[in-house]
Amino acid sequence: MSRPARVPSRLAFLPFSARAAVAEGLISRSMLRGPAWRRLLPDVYVHRDGYRADDHRMWCDAVGLTLPPGAVVGGLSAAYLWGVQLVARDSPVTVLIPGNSRPRARPRVRYTLATLSAGDVTRFGGLPVTTPLRTAFDLGRKAPRTEAVVAVDALLNRRLVKPAALSDYLAEHPGWPGVALLREVLGLAEPLSESPMETRLRLLLVDAGFPGPTVQHDVCDARGHFIGRVDLAYPRLRIALEYEGDHHRERAHFRQDVARLNALRAAGWLVLRFTADDVLLHPARTLALIAHAIQERRTHLDIRGVTRRA
């Protein structure tokens, strides 16, 4: 029985340029036509063990081998490389190119004309990429507003960007497309927001005229002992608003949630829990539920001599 051909370590998992690999004698053109290799882009291949159709990092690495001079990975793809995962699994890689470039259209790539200074670009894992600051500047200028706030919140939360630095960068680029939107986004941004859905739930409330909730509020019992941290809160009314992601379905996490929820209720807190469907598909119903809870709590606390303010 013949042994399978040994795969050179440099070609084992990462995308590579076929032309360069053949020139170095690492592989032959005939071998690339075999079942062990996947063609990602013209002249770009990856071994089948390294192929993941929905791996955005793999596609960034592949596209990086085809970048024209001066081009960089930017937008949501840059955010992904910095650890902010907001791209859909099948999204093309965002590439920013100088205004004088006209690259040929390629699959899995979205080219955008951009003006970049030397300070806007750095390298990540061998790829030219926009800095976190420039990435936040670009994403915060891109409609729709909610998604712009989601992106800026995520970059701020990971401490990749500071609000003051983004404000200064904005002031240095007056007249750029979308800067009016970014000013609004900065007014709404919340560095403590820990997930995109928390941001969307918060904006749903703010846009509907509700009082702005406190983000990541620590709840203590009557003796000052820490009970837990809630996503969003109206502390005076003891109302907590929680987003329930898929991780809450894990058995260990579910048990912790039950104990935490019981402790919050024992401390007099009303906890409302919402899913992505509640925020995205049924916003009116969600707002009505929260409005009812606020009114009920206000009425209850008024009887006990507490002012009517969330």
Side-chain angles (χ1 to χ4, degrees):
M1 180 181 297
S2 61
R3 296 181 180 179
R6 186 180 67 85
V7 179
S9 58
R10 287 172 52 190
L11 310 183
F13 298 105
L14 297 178
F16 60 91
S17 164
R19 185 182 299 107
V22 170
E24 292 181 45
L26 298 175
I27 198 169
S28 67
R29 287 288 180 182
S30 60
M31 291 172 63
L32 287 173
R33 290 191 286 270
W37 307 97
R38 297 293 300 264
R39 182 178 182 272
L40 301 178
L41 297 169
D43 191 54
V44 178
Y45 289 74
V46 70
H47 190 265
R48 62 188 174 194
D49 290 345
Y51 177 77
R52 301 290 184 274
D54 59 357
D55 183 352
H56 198 70
R57 177 57 195 266
M58 180 196 73
W59 287 107
C60 286
D61 287 333
V63 170
L65 295 168
T66 71
L67 292 177
V72 304
V73 177
L76 289 177
S77 295
Y80 179 90
L81 294 175
W82 292 119
V84 174
Q85 300 187 18
L86 299 174
V87 293
R89 290 184 173 182
D90 58 350
S91 292
V93 176
T94 299
V95 172
L96 307 185
I97 58 175
N100 58 353
S101 297
R102 292 293 183 273
R104 179 182 302 176
R106 295 186 184 278
R108 301 298 299 238
V109 187
R110 178 186 293 119
Y111 292 110
T112 301
L113 296 178
T115 300
L116 296 165
S117 69
D120 291 331
V121 180
T122 186
R123 298 193 74 83
F124 184 97
L127 294 173
V129 59
T130 52
T131 63
L133 180 58
R134 177 57 193 256
T135 302
F137 178 74
D138 289 341
L139 294 178
R141 294 183 293 129
K142 185 177 179 181
R145 186 197 66 171
T146 294
E147 298 312 305
V149 178
V150 164
V152 171
D153 272 5
L155 288 161
L156 293 177
N157 179 259
R158 292 184 65 86
R159 299 182 180 180
L160 294 164
V161 181
K162 294 182 179 179
L166 185 53
S167 294
D168 290 344
Y169 191 95
L170 171 60
E172 295 167 0
H173 295 77
W176 280 46
V179 292
L181 173 59
L182 180 54
R183 290 190 190 97
E184 184 180 2
V185 167
L186 276 171
L188 294 167
E190 174 50 73
L192 293 178
S193 186
E194 293 188 346
S195 77
M197 288 308 304
E198 287 180 28
T199 297
R200 294 185 180 105
L201 177 56
R202 178 172 60 85
L203 291 181
L204 179 66
L205 293 166
V206 171
D207 288 343
F210 284 66
T214 300
V215 179
Q216 296 301 319
H217 179 70
D218 289 343
V219 178
C220 298
D221 62 20
R223 294 177 294 178
H225 296 158
F226 177 75
I227 296 175
R229 178 173 295 169
V230 297
D231 297 339
L232 304 172
Y234 292 117
R236 292 181 64 84
L237 299 177
R238 296 184 193 174
I239 296 176
L241 309 176
E242 297 267 76
Y243 168 67
E244 301 299 317
D246 288 341
H247 64 282
H248 288 271
R249 300 174 187 175
E250 298 173 3
R251 190 175 187 86
H253 207 296
F254 174 75
R255 289 175 176 173
Q256 293 173 0
D257 275 356
V258 170
R260 175 172 165 274
L261 182 61
N262 288 338
L264 287 168
R265 287 174 174 169
W269 280 72
L270 172 63
V271 182
L272 302 179
R273 310 175 83 172
F274 301 101
T275 66
D277 284 355
D278 294 320
V279 178
L280 301 176
L281 302 181
H282 308 290
R285 185 177 69 189
T286 297
L287 290 171
L289 178 61
I290 297 172
H292 178 75
I294 290 175
Q295 183 58 44
E296 186 178 66
R297 277 297 171 112
R298 280 175 170 169
T299 301
H300 173 68
L301 294 176
D302 277 347
I303 295 173
R304 301 173 63 177
V306 178
T307 58
R308 293 170 60 86
R309 187 174 67 183

